[in-house]
């Protein structure tokens, strides 16, 4: 089934849940800081240990330097995507809730990036009613997305298989 949740900045978030796997599609980006996506939904209770991964991300223009470097290729910056419900890991001795690292290009219009082999990060909580994503560079600054464009992130949650 599909349920539509209100985005805290007045934009609609679409949340898709399947029977075997849970799929979330979060859309936002048209607010003061487009690099922070957040939604509130009915509480989700997890019966077993699950992992969550980003399957794809579609985003609009990044604000910044020219879109093409000296060799004629699109400029690119690596972005770290953090999520509030995943288990903590350590980066340079500091606790972090990073879910993945993704390349972001300085293109005109929309760009789509799909993870061919996404990594499922364990979900730390057993019940949650909100998901927040922060998209930042390696210096801890939010990426400068143009707020005229939506950002759409597709997430998948599935049971973890431990051996």
């Amino acid at each position: 089934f599909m349920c539509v949740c209100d985005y805290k900045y007045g934009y609609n978030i679409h949340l898709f849940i399947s029977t075997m796997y849970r799929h979330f599609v979060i859309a936002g980006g048209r607010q003061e800081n487009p690099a922070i996506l957040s939604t509130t939904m009915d509480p989700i209770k997890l019966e077993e240990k699950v992992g969550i991964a980003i399957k794809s991300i579609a985003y609009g223009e990044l604000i910044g330097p020219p879109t093409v470097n000296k060799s004629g290729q699109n400029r690119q910056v690596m972005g770290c995507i953090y999520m509030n419900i995943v288990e903590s890991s350590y980066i340079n001795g500091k606790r972090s809730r990073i879910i993945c690292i993704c390349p972001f290009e300085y293109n005109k219009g929309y760009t789509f990036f799909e993870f061919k082999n996404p990594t499922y990060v364990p979900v730390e909580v057993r019940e949650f009613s909100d998901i927040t994503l922060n998209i930042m560079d390696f210096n801890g600054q939010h990426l400068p997305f143009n707020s005229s464009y939506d950002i759409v992130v597709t997430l998948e949650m599935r049971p973890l298989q431990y051996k």
Side-chain angles (χ1 to χ4, degrees):
F1 70 98
M2 181 182 92
C3 113
V4 179
C5 305
D6 288 329
Y7 191 61
K8 73 177 188 178
Y9 294 102
Y11 195 81
N12 285 333
I13 299 275
H14 300 281
L15 170 67
F16 298 91
I17 301 176
S18 70
T19 53
M20 183 184 296
Y21 297 101
R22 291 190 168 128
H23 299 272
F24 302 91
V25 177
I26 299 178
R30 293 190 186 206
Q31 70 271 356
E32 185 178 328
N33 190 339
I36 301 173
L37 301 171
S38 182
T39 187
T40 302
M41 63 197 97
D42 291 333
I44 294 176
K45 293 181 182 180
L46 304 173
E47 302 295 326
E48 59 190 322
K49 191 70 173 169
V50 298
I52 192 165
I54 293 181
K55 300 285 282 181
S56 66
I57 183 167
Y59 58 93
E61 299 174 3
L62 286 168
I63 300 169
T67 60
V68 177
N69 63 20
K70 291 179 183 177
S71 63
Q73 297 175 326
N74 288 332
R75 286 195 59 251
Q76 195 177 75
V77 62
M78 296 305 287
C80 302
I81 303 178
Y82 299 88
M83 180 183 280
N84 65 320
I85 64 170
V86 298
E87 286 185 355
S88 295
S89 57
Y90 286 88
I91 299 175
N92 291 334
K94 294 183 181 177
R95 286 174 55 99
S96 169
R97 293 185 184 271
I98 194 165
I99 186 168
C100 70
I101 296 174
C102 177
F104 291 89
E105 293 185 1
Y106 284 84
N107 288 333
K108 294 287 184 194
Y110 279 100
T111 302
F112 179 80
F113 182 83
E114 182 176 17
F115 290 88
K116 297 210 183 309
N117 297 302
T119 301
Y120 289 82
V121 178
V123 173
E124 182 174 61
V125 296
R126 292 287 181 211
E127 182 177 340
F128 62 94
S129 60
D130 67 86
I131 295 176
T132 301
L133 298 171
N134 283 281
I135 307 172
M136 306 174 109
D137 64 18
F138 286 147
N139 297 319
Q141 302 296 312
H142 285 102
L143 289 184
F145 292 103
N146 183 333
S147 62
S148 299
Y149 293 87
D150 292 330
I151 299 172
V152 180
V153 179
T154 304
L155 305 165
E156 181 178 72
M157 188 180 290
R158 70 179 188 188
L160 289 176
Q161 308 279 327
Y162 291 112
K163 294 183 180 182

